[in-house]
Every structure is written in C-alpha cells, then in structure tokens.
C-alpha cells in the first residue's frame, strides 16, 4: 500500500505520496493537466450501454489502486466508490472519471492524514446521504466519518442496499450506520483498556431526520424504518 509515516511535534502524518507518483508514471499521466476536484459534484454516472467498452482488466487494476489509495485520502472516497460500481462492464465515460481522479491526485500528491496529539478524549461521527441517488437504480449513497479526539480515524462512502422513499429515510439509514461505527470504536477502546462513559456525539444535517429521532410519536412516517428508528433512540 506504500503508506509513509512521518513523526513531528504536532503528531503523526500518514500519506502515500510515492504510491501516487508511481501511479502517475504507470498510467502515463505525469504531464497531465491538473483537476481541482476528484469529481464533478453534479456528475451522474450510469451504465452507459451505448458507450465504447474499455479493457475490464485494466480498469479494475486502476480502480483497485485508487481503493488502496483511499486508505489515506478520504477526499477521494466518494469518487472511488462511484467508479468502482462499474468494474464489471466499464465504458469510456467511466474511465474518463478515473483519469480525472488521477489528475486531481497529481496536484495533491503529498496530502494525507495528520493525527494530532490531544489530551482530551472525544468520539464524534458525521453522517450524510446524497439527495440525487444513482441513475441506474435510484439508490442513494451513504457517507460517514468518525473522529477520535479530533482526529479522523474512519470514513466510508457506499451505496445503500435499498431504495429510499425520502431523503429523511436515507439520512436515517446513514445515522444508523454512523452509530454502528461509534459502537465499534467504543469496543476498540475497551480492548485497549480505555474506558469511555461519556456520550458519543452524532451529527446530521437533515432537520426531518433529527425531528424523527427526537420524537418517537411519528408512526406513519417511520413504519418502513422502524428498526433503524428504535436502534438510534436506544443508543
């Protein structure tokens, strides 16, 4: 995976700069134009049935390299999650997005994660879900990231297993996944003999979802997500 670790007075910095450099050389992109973002936020990728087919093996190797790179680059997690959905039948449009991600990496080869020294212990999770969904099957993408003492330790971007009937439902499912991640972190801390008895914080930006979480008397709006609703309230 080529993870590089640097120690300083501020903390520990992890990156994959050499990994990025090698990727640019192998793909012949060392002289390519830079991209300001890993993906256009308004980009909608479908199966592109009428588009030109690409070499499946080559595409899978490229996306696989990007998946490994996302271990220290959470800023490309969503884009990599999107292009990895078409590894079974890649088209020219899909490969174009992969190259845009690589062009973005060329301009930011040394970026990574700084784990700062912090005397206070806190556990927080931020959850979100896109409001557009996949144009292939209309499933929304869930995203969450968790912080331990202010340091980003886990993150994920993944398409939901079912089609959400509202943005509130999609956000609710994202919250449930965020809580699972918080509980997992608490178990890890217990294994390390670090006791955590204070409340863990969960952040969500959807007012409807927050309202449902606080008010248990909304049966008609939550029949199809009863398990997630009760799970969130119990925790």
């Amino acid at each position: 995976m080529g993870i590089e670790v640097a120690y300083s007075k501020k903390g520990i910095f992890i990156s994959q700069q050499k990994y990025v450099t090698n990727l640019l050389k192998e793909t012949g992109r060392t002289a390519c134009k830079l991209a300001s973002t890993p993906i256009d936020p308004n980009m909608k990728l479908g199966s592109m049935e009428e588009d030109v087919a690409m070499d499946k093996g080559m595409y899978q190797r490229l996306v696989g390299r990007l998946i490994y790179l996302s271990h220290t680059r959470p800023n490309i997690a969503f884009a990599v999650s999107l292009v990895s959905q078409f590894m079974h039948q890649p088209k020219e449009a899909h490969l174009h997005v992969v190259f845009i991600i690589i062009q973005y990496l060329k301009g930011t080869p040394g970026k990574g994660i700084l784990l700062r020294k912090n005397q206070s212990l806190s556990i927080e999770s931020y959850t979100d879900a896109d409001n557009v969904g996949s144009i292939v099957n209309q499933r929304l993408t869930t995203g969450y990231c968790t912080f331990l003492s202010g340091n980003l330790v886990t993150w994920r971007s993944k398409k939901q297993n079912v089609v959400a009937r509202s943005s509130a439902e999609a956000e609710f499912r994202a919250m449930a996944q965020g809580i699972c991640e918080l509980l997992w972190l608490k178990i890890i801390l217990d294994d390390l003999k670090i006791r955590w008895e204070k409340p863990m914080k969960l952040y969500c930006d959807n007012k409807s979802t927050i309202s449902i979480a606080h008010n248990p008397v909304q049966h008609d709006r939550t029949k199809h997500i009863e398990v997630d609703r009760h799970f969130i309230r119990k925790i």
Side-chain angles (χ1 to χ4, degrees):
M1 291 170 60
I3 294 180
E4 303 166 36
V5 182
Y7 298 88
S8 70
K9 293 181 179 179
K10 293 183 179 180
I12 300 173
F13 180 74
I14 59 175
S15 65
Q16 291 171 281
Q17 183 169 357
K18 190 174 185 300
Y19 190 93
V20 173
T21 303
N22 291 339
L23 178 61
L24 289 169
K25 290 179 181 178
E26 292 174 13
T27 56
R29 295 271 155 175
T30 53
C32 68
K33 294 182 179 179
L34 303 182
S36 57
T37 60
I39 192 170
D40 183 346
N42 298 316
M43 170 72 69
K44 295 183 181 181
L45 271 183
S47 55
M48 307 295 181
E49 296 292 345
E50 298 180 357
D51 208 347
V52 179
M54 293 288 102
D55 182 349
K56 184 189 296 187
M58 180 269 291
Y59 184 87
Q60 291 177 347
R61 284 193 297 272
L62 269 180
V63 175
R65 297 289 299 274
L66 293 175
I67 291 174
Y68 279 119
L69 186 57
S70 62
H71 283 89
T72 59
R73 300 293 295 267
N75 53 342
I76 67 170
F78 174 76
V80 173
S81 171
L82 183 61
V83 296
S84 65
Q85 295 173 19
F86 305 98
M87 294 176 75
H88 61 289
Q89 196 174 2
K91 301 291 184 177
E92 188 175 16
H94 306 140
L95 185 62
H96 176 68
V97 177
V98 170
F99 284 144
I100 290 177
I101 299 174
I102 295 175
Q103 289 172 224
Y104 170 75
L105 292 172
K106 184 198 172 184
T108 58
K111 283 189 176 293
I113 300 175
L114 176 62
L115 302 174
R116 297 178 181 273
K117 296 179 180 179
N118 198 330
Q119 299 298 326
S120 61
L121 182 63
S122 61
I123 306 177
E124 302 172 328
S125 178
Y126 294 80
T127 65
D128 200 4
D130 67 355
N131 58 359
V132 178
S134 168
I135 61 174
V136 177
N137 51 24
Q138 297 302 309
R139 294 181 186 176
L140 279 72
T141 300
T142 290
Y144 66 78
C145 56
T146 55
F147 290 80
L148 181 62
S149 296
N151 294 307
L152 179 63
V153 290
T154 64
W155 57 89
R156 193 176 191 187
S157 177
K158 184 181 179 181
K159 187 187 291 185
Q160 295 187 358
N161 295 327
V162 297
V163 178
R165 291 159 59 182
S166 66
S167 60
E169 177 185 346
E171 297 275 1
F172 226 84
R173 297 191 189 282
M175 285 177 65
Q177 291 190 13
I179 288 176
C180 288
E181 195 71 7
L182 288 175
L183 294 175
W184 176 77
L185 275 179
K186 191 171 184 296
I187 292 172
I188 296 295
L189 291 176
D190 288 340
D191 290 341
L192 296 173
K193 308 303 180 183
I194 300 175
R195 301 296 300 174
W196 178 258
E197 303 297 342
K198 297 180 181 179
M200 298 179 291
K201 296 181 179 179
L202 178 70
Y203 295 93
C204 174
D205 63 353
N206 186 282
K207 292 183 179 180
S208 298
T209 305
I210 295 172
S211 175
I212 294 172
H214 284 299
N215 183 6
V217 191
Q218 299 201 42
H219 304 296
D220 291 339
R221 298 178 62 186
T222 60
K223 284 180 180 179
H224 53 299
I225 49 173
E226 280 295 287
V227 174
D228 286 333
R229 184 172 71 88
H230 284 290
F231 174 67
I232 291 171
R233 288 191 58 80
K234 286 288 182 182
I235 301 301

